[in-house]
Amino acid sequence: MNIIMSVTEMQAFSDACRKQGKTIAFVPTMGYLHQGHAHLMQEGRKLGDILIVSIFVNPTQFGPGEDFEKYPRDWDRDAQLCASAGVDVIFAPTAEEMYPQGYQTSITVSQVSQNLCGVSRPTHFQGVATVVAKLFSCTKPHVALFGEKDFQQLAVIKRMVRDLNVDVRIIGVPTVREQDGLAMSSRNTYLNADERRSALSLSRGLARARELFQQGERSALVLIGTVREIIEKETCATVDYIQVCDIETLQDIDVISQPAVMALAVKIGKARLIDNIVLKEE
Ligand code: AMP
């Protein structure tokens, strides 16, 4: 497994792979890897001759007062996980390498970025879209994999790729959960034992909403109310949002008559957790 930290070296490596007719699969991450990331890598391994994973805690997608400095990092464990997932290259640039002096360009995916997490994190998706576009220019992938856990991020990237004619196939991968239902996240490490128990209310609430949907409930208001009640029973949980949206535009829906995403963000202790489910006729 190669470790590359320089942009030009990364580009030269990918150019050489492409010249040899090899397909490049790419999984961008911020490290502190878990089985959710590993699953993206396994899927990427199937799709590419060469599998590149980036580990880069991108400063520009964190807002003021967010957890950039405290974001968990564990290089040795990450490198081990990548090696066992059959990763060919870890691309791990420094912030200076990605944003040298004088850097001033950014990408805004306007509408899809506004709702849901965009309300409380107004600059987040601009940071995400820009860094992903840059990482694509560095790693030159044919296919890139993203988790459905970050549903809005996936929608933003799909929209950007379409709008800017970026020649990369975007694959969404279903959320990997702990056995008890908690969506895996690097930020789960912020939770103490009590908070970890409370955090289960997110997946429990979403599971209840799915059940009601399967029984025929189509009112977003009713489904949201049910989930809110389940989560707000936990005294340490503060709901940021619970919404039902169109899966492409991410605009709010009142009555579910087409595939919809029920997405939520909840602050528990120091962690802001997100989760979602897709509601559609089976
Ligand atoms: P992050 O390191 O949190 O920026 O995530 C890197 C990639 O892994 C993103 O595409 C995430 O959506 C994806 N990811 C994170 N958690 C999970 C999970 N539990 N299941 C599937 N994919 C995930």
Side-chain angles (χ1 to χ4, degrees):
M1 187 172 71
N2 275 317
I3 292 159
I4 297 179
M5 297 178 75
S6 117
V7 169
T8 48
E9 237 182 87
M10 187 66 253
Q11 288 170 326
F13 178 93
S14 291
D15 281 339
C17 293
R18 279 178 165 261
K19 269 208 192 97
Q20 292 164 25
K22 290 186 172 150
T23 303
I24 301 173
F26 174 49
V27 176
T29 83
M30 297 208 299
Y32 210 70
L33 304 174
H34 50 66
Q35 288 309 305
H37 298 112
H39 187 54
L40 293 184
M41 294 176 202
Q42 282 151 18
E43 294 303 303
R45 194 60 284 172
K46 292 182 205 158
L47 296 171
D49 303 312
I50 298 290
L51 176 58
I52 303 175
V53 170
S54 63
I55 298 181
F56 179 58
V57 185
N58 174 39
T60 69
Q61 70 190 68
F62 291 80
E66 290 186 0
D67 57 346
F68 173 65
E69 276 87 16
K70 294 197 200 87
Y71 197 82
R73 292 159 168 91
D74 190 339
W75 172 261
D76 291 342
R77 199 168 62 99
D78 286 353
Q80 252 173 38
L81 188 145
C82 288
S84 23
V87 170
D88 295 295
V89 177
I90 301 179
F91 178 49
T94 60
E96 294 71 39
E97 180 73 1
M98 289 297 271
Y99 303 108
Q101 192 80 44
Y103 187 90
Q104 54 192 277
T105 303
S106 57
I107 296 174
T108 305
V109 183
S110 53
Q111 285 168 28
V112 185
S113 300
Q114 271 166 18
N115 203 1
L116 302 172
C117 286
V119 175
S120 55
R121 307 185 78 191
T123 57
H124 173 65
F125 290 111
Q126 186 172 327
V128 168
T130 306
V131 79
V132 169
K134 281 173 66 63
L135 290 168
F136 284 176
S137 300
C138 298
T139 58
K140 309 190 183 202
H142 296 87
V143 51
L145 299 98
F146 293 83
E148 285 175 4
K149 151 119 187 324
D150 298 272
F151 199 90
Q152 189 171 17
Q153 168 170 283
L154 176 59
V156 165
I157 300 303
K158 280 183 177 164
R159 191 69 250 174
M160 173 186 79
V161 161
R162 244 181 279 159
D163 290 353
L164 298 183
N165 308 103
V166 181
D167 193 12
V168 178
R169 187 156 66 101
I170 304 300
I171 308 279
V173 177
T175 302
V176 177
R177 296 176 181 281
E178 304 282 358
Q179 280 203 332
D180 57 11
L182 181 67
M184 289 191 182
S185 163
S186 308
R187 288 189 168 100
N188 290 347
T189 189
Y190 297 150
L191 302 169
N192 66 29
D194 281 343
E195 292 163 350
R196 170 74 179 64
R197 255 189 306 279
S198 295
L200 285 177
S201 63
L202 278 66
S203 51
R204 203 166 54 238
L206 290 171
R208 179 67 190 135
R210 189 194 295 280
E211 235 169 56
L212 290 177
F213 177 80
Q214 282 164 349
Q215 288 162 16
E217 184 57 65
R218 292 294 180 269
S219 158
L221 213 63
V222 170
L223 295 173
I224 291 167
T226 306
V227 177
R228 182 177 286 278
E229 203 177 304
I230 291 171
I231 294 174
E232 287 185 341
K233 278 204 186 107
E234 306 297 328
T235 47
C236 63
T238 311
V239 173
D240 177 354
Y241 65 77
I242 306 171
Q243 285 170 250
V244 174
C245 298
D246 178 90
I247 50 168
E248 252 188 54
T249 64
L250 300 189
Q251 298 304 301
D252 287 87
I253 291 175
D254 295 328
V255 177
I256 305 170
S257 55
Q258 73 245 45
V261 58
M262 178 168 220
L264 49 79
V266 179
K267 190 107 197 283
I268 297 189
K270 286 197 264 318
R272 182 178 177 280
L273 304 178
I274 56 172
D275 201 349
N276 69 81
I277 49 165
V278 170
L279 299 171
K280 60 178 180 206
E281 309 273 356
E282 296 295 324

